[in-house]
Amino acid sequence: MKNSINITQYMQALHHIFEHGEKTERGFELHGIVAVSDHDGYTCTLCNDKVSFNLYFHNKYSFDYQSDDDLLK
């Protein structure tokens, strides 16, 4: 799966949600997706209720989810 992640698209989606989303206590939310960035911008997260996609420094990333079905939907 590592080769299928397009970091540029991830960053564009993150920016779009920050720009057009509604600020909530969780972060900026747009169409059920929440975007969060730490204070220095080195860690960014896009998440919904079932899956979190975390992007770290040097384009390392991780997914957090309960089941494979959640990730694939």
Side-chain angles (χ1 to χ4, degrees):
M1 179 174 282
K2 187 170 186 111
N3 294 331
S4 65
I5 302 301
N6 185 318
I7 300 302
T8 301
Q9 285 181 334
Y10 177 91
M11 295 303 293
Q12 288 171 342
L14 193 72
H15 177 74
H16 183 80
I17 295 171
F18 282 141
E19 196 169 282
H20 300 286
E22 179 181 335
K23 181 143 176 70
T24 68
E25 59 189 37
R26 293 175 56 193
F28 286 86
E29 186 169 352
L30 184 66
H31 303 298
I33 300 174
V34 177
V36 182
S37 177
D38 65 359
H39 68 281
D40 58 10
Y42 286 119
T43 301
C44 303
T45 301
L46 287 176
C47 62
N48 62 17
D49 292 334
K50 297 185 180 205
V51 178
S52 292
F53 177 27
N54 307 296
L55 179 65
Y56 307 106
F57 192 59
H58 291 297
N59 294 336
K60 295 181 181 181
Y61 61 87
S62 69
F63 288 94
D64 294 319
Y65 53 94
Q66 293 293 318
S67 73
D68 290 340
D69 288 339
D70 293 337
L71 181 61
L72 298 174
K73 289 183 180 176

